[in-house]
Amino acid sequence: MRQISTLSEWRAATEDIRQSGQRVGVIPTMGALHEGHRSLIQRAIDDGTTPCVTIFVNPRQFNDEVDLHAYPQPLDDDLARCREWGVAYVLTPTIQEMWPSYPQATATTVQVAGVTEEFEGAGRPGHFDGVASVVTKLFVVTGPSTAYFGEKDFQQLAMVRRLVLDMGFDIDIVGCPIVRDDKGLALSSRNARLSPTGRTAALAISRALKWAADRPRTVDEIDHHVRAALIQAGIDVAYVAVVNQETLQTDIVDGSARVLVAGIVEGVRLLDNAPVVIRKDDTTCC
Ligand code: PAF
């Protein structure tokens, strides 16, 4: 495995991969790697690409300094995991390498309208501009490739798909299923900040989503049940929404939709989601 810290070397390395007839599989991360990241890397390997991981805690996507400073950065462990999981190249740039004017504001910002406006976008101003900007930069320096993103950050995935479509990047986006622990909690680097009691409370989220997904239900049933389950577990509900999987609006056309949930447990913002089938007929309620 080769660790690279400059964008020019990364550009050259990914170009070499293509020149040798291989496809580049890029897995953008902020480190603190867990089994969820491993599943993205494994998917890139299974697809026959050369797995290239980027590790960069992007300050521009944190609208809260406390959250940024609390973000875990176990770089040595991350590199050991990448090696063990079969990664070929890892990009670990400094903040100055990615954003030369930092800590001054960067003049150029990429903004994706529409899909970013509600949910995480409403609760975390500037967050998606930061993600869109860093993802754009990574796509530009990596060049034609397949990029792997987890479905846990469903709104982020929808935004990245829109970005690629609008900007014409030669990048295939692959969304990969959420990975859960044995109790059902969606894996996230933030879970490390939960106490055992917080972890138990957080399980109400995946339980409620499982209930929502296990048979066709109306939007109202899902909304009421999921909210009530979270409140009962002492979770501060940021949002529960049943949306069209592409537009993230309430224009659900063919009965297939996504439930998006964000809840705050012990100050930690937890995201989860599940595909659901919407039943329009209310006469045969559960
Ligand atoms: O999902 C993440 O880890 C980050 O938002 C990403 C895509 C690596 C951009 O910093």
Side-chain angles (χ1 to χ4, degrees), residues 28-30 56 58 61 131 134-135 149 153 156:
T29 81
M30 295 207 299
F56 178 61
N58 174 31
Q61 68 188 76
V131 177
V134 79
V135 166
F149 290 86
D153 295 306
Q156 168 173 282

Side-chain angles (χ1 to χ4, degrees), residues 120-143:
E120 290 309 289
R124 301 165 70 189
H127 167 69
F128 282 122
D129 293 354
V131 177
S133 300
V134 79
V135 166
T136 297
K137 187 148 187 177
L138 290 172
F139 285 173
V140 167
V141 294
T142 303

